[in-house]
Amino acid sequence: MSEEKIVNNIIEGICPIRDIIASLSDKWSLLVIYTLSQNPKMRFGEIHKSIPDISQRMLTVTLRSLEADGLVSRQVFPEVPPRVEYQLTDLGYSLLEPLRGLVNWALKNTEVIQESRESYQQ
């Protein structure tokens, strides 16, 4: 980091807010977070069954990304076959309140948005 220029607490060329929002706004991250909020601990197969249209590979990539961001923890049990459980961290749980706000806003405005989309397409 010695060669990077820091301006207003931002490493030149990298906006931390944009980076975090991009990470969370992919197709699956918020859905995985919501799914994990419904159960204290879940195994990979349970998550996959709860989100049937996600591929195993994409679920793996999403869980790794959420783990890297500190939103999900992964615990491996030394058993045969190995058992792995995922759960939200405190940071992950702290995202639920703003997520609920977004969901409530979407529910409240679904009809208006659908009407707008229909009139736009005409």
Side-chain angles (χ1 to χ4, degrees), residues 1-71:
M1 189 146 122
S2 59
E3 295 182 24
E4 296 156 333
K5 184 177 177 187
I6 298 178
V7 179
N8 295 330
N9 296 320
I10 297 175
I11 299 172
E12 188 175 19
I14 302 172
C15 175
I17 295 169
R18 186 180 316 146
D19 178 55
I20 292 168
I21 290 173
S23 177
L24 293 173
S25 65
D26 69 18
K27 185 174 181 179
W28 301 110
S29 291
L30 293 178
L31 188 54
V32 169
I33 289 168
Y34 176 77
T35 300
L36 286 170
S37 75
Q38 302 303 299
N39 296 287
K41 295 180 182 181
M42 294 182 78
R43 295 179 71 175
F44 184 91
E46 295 170 324
I47 301 167
H48 193 248
K49 286 178 188 173
S50 298
I51 312 170
D53 47 342
I54 190 172
S55 69
Q56 288 186 355
R57 183 186 185 301
M58 187 50 58
L59 179 55
T60 298
V61 168
T62 302
L63 285 167
R64 286 181 182 165
S65 174
L66 293 171
E67 186 180 6
D69 286 347
L71 299 169

Side-chain angles (χ1 to χ4, degrees), residues 90-109:
D90 289 341
L91 183 62
Y93 276 108
S94 74
L95 182 59
L96 294 178
E97 185 177 345
L99 178 56
R100 283 188 195 105
L102 180 60
V103 168
N104 289 335
W105 178 87
L107 290 171
K108 180 180 174 183
N109 293 288

